[in-house]
Amino acid sequence: MPEPKRQNLSAKLPAGQPIVIENPYGSVFLRFGGYEHEVGVHSTLQQPPGAAAIEFKSGQQDGNYLIAPRLPEGVTLAEAQRLDLVVYVPEKHPVTVRTERGDIESRGVKSDLDLKTVAGNIAARGTEGTVQAETGEGSIETAFAETARPGSKQRLVTTTGSIVIGVTDRLDAIVRMATSGQFATDYSIEVTRHPGAEPNKDARAMIGAPKAEIVLESRRGEIRLLRRAEYLPTDETPPTPPPR
């Protein structure tokens, strides 16, 4: 197993500038980065001998701050080669994350999140902003803000993975769910069946006032809508990514 190589960088951003992270070579972990409009990135690279180098690229592009490591054109990832990122996100800087099979995890971030992975798992807890999330066979787990932002629409989508969300009774939102799998819920729901279709049923729950909308969609994954009393605890400690 190659010895991990670590690199740190930081950059000052204009207030509110979106952050875009594209990492097809591993996982992305988001953490709250403070109030000073400064993004911090900690990378952990596993680089086998003889493998082509992954170039760590970051900087301004099309009005965004882009973090996008890249292999040379036409080169594929070598066996045991991997790059994981821990990104410290300042308050009110919207974040877009894209991975391939890598997981995406966010804890305590005070910004809107747009998270998408081809087949990894997604987890978001303690977010002070909206969450959009999509994966294929991976799962999605999130604890929504105590009250949803009025007028917002948040959407979580999988193909076959499960979706588990925790909300409070003060959510003030309509929750719409659709799957051919099972519903498990702590709230009363209205279920409509669609024989022969996929997904083959949908459901609706009203939690508080109808000031926002949350959509949970899966072809076959289980959807669980759970009641929680308070925010799940957050951990600001950077994770140690597992080796491939």
Side-chain angles (χ1 to χ4, degrees):
M1 183 65 64
E3 185 70 21
K5 299 179 181 180
R6 294 178 172 83
Q7 179 180 354
N8 300 329
L9 64 85
S10 62
K12 291 285 188 180
L13 306 180
Q17 183 178 44
I19 299 169
V20 177
I21 305 164
E22 299 175 356
N23 181 22
Y25 312 123
S27 297
V28 175
F29 304 89
L30 304 178
R31 299 292 184 264
F32 176 56
Y35 304 94
E36 299 301 323
H37 307 299
E38 181 174 356
V39 62
V41 183
H42 298 178
S43 67
T44 301
L45 172 66
Q46 295 177 23
Q47 181 74 11
I54 298 175
E55 183 178 356
F56 191 85
K57 295 184 177 182
S58 64
Q60 304 289 338
Q61 181 173 307
D62 299 328
N64 302 315
Y65 185 78
L66 178 66
I67 302 168
R70 289 291 183 267
L71 281 167
E73 187 174 354
V75 176
T76 59
L77 203 65
E79 184 177 356
Q81 188 178 25
R82 182 183 182 95
L83 178 67
D84 295 293
L85 302 176
V86 181
V87 181
Y88 289 86
V89 179
E91 182 187 37
K92 295 182 180 179
H93 286 261
V95 184
T96 298
V97 180
R98 299 291 184 264
T99 74
E100 295 291 332
R101 302 194 69 83
D103 295 337
I104 304 172
E105 180 192 86
S106 173
R107 294 192 179 187
V109 173
K110 302 179 188 298
S111 305
D112 293 343
L113 304 178
D114 180 350
L115 314 175
K116 186 174 182 179
T117 174
V118 175
N121 300 318
I122 298 175
R125 297 177 175 85
T127 306
E128 294 186 18
T130 60
V131 179
Q132 316 294 336
E134 183 174 349
T135 182
E137 64 192 46
S139 65
I140 298 176
E141 297 186 17
T142 187
F144 278 98
E146 192 162 310
T147 302
R149 181 184 298 167
S152 66
K153 181 176 181 179
Q154 302 181 69
R155 185 169 177 260
L156 311 182
V157 181
T158 73
T159 303
T160 58
S162 62
I163 302 174
V164 181
I165 72 168
V167 302
T168 73
D169 293 343
R170 293 197 293 270
L171 183 66
D172 284 348
I174 298 172
V175 180
R176 303 186 190 278
M177 302 176 281
T179 184
S180 294
Q182 295 183 335
F183 294 130
T185 175
D186 291 334
Y187 292 91
S188 297
I189 59 174
E190 302 172 3
V191 179
T192 303
R193 300 189 180 276
H194 307 283
E198 190 175 49
N200 64 12
K201 58 186 175 297
D202 58 51
R204 177 181 181 274
M206 177 80 75
I207 304 176
K211 297 181 180 179
E213 185 175 7
I214 295 173
V215 177
L216 314 175
E217 298 177 347
S218 181
R219 289 186 187 174
R220 303 186 189 94
E222 180 185 30
I223 295 178
R224 301 175 65 191
L225 173 61
L226 306 178
R227 177 184 281 111
R228 63 182 180 84
E230 56 186 356
Y231 280 110
L232 297 178
T234 61
D235 180 2
E236 299 293 337
T237 304
T240 301
R244 169 173 283 195

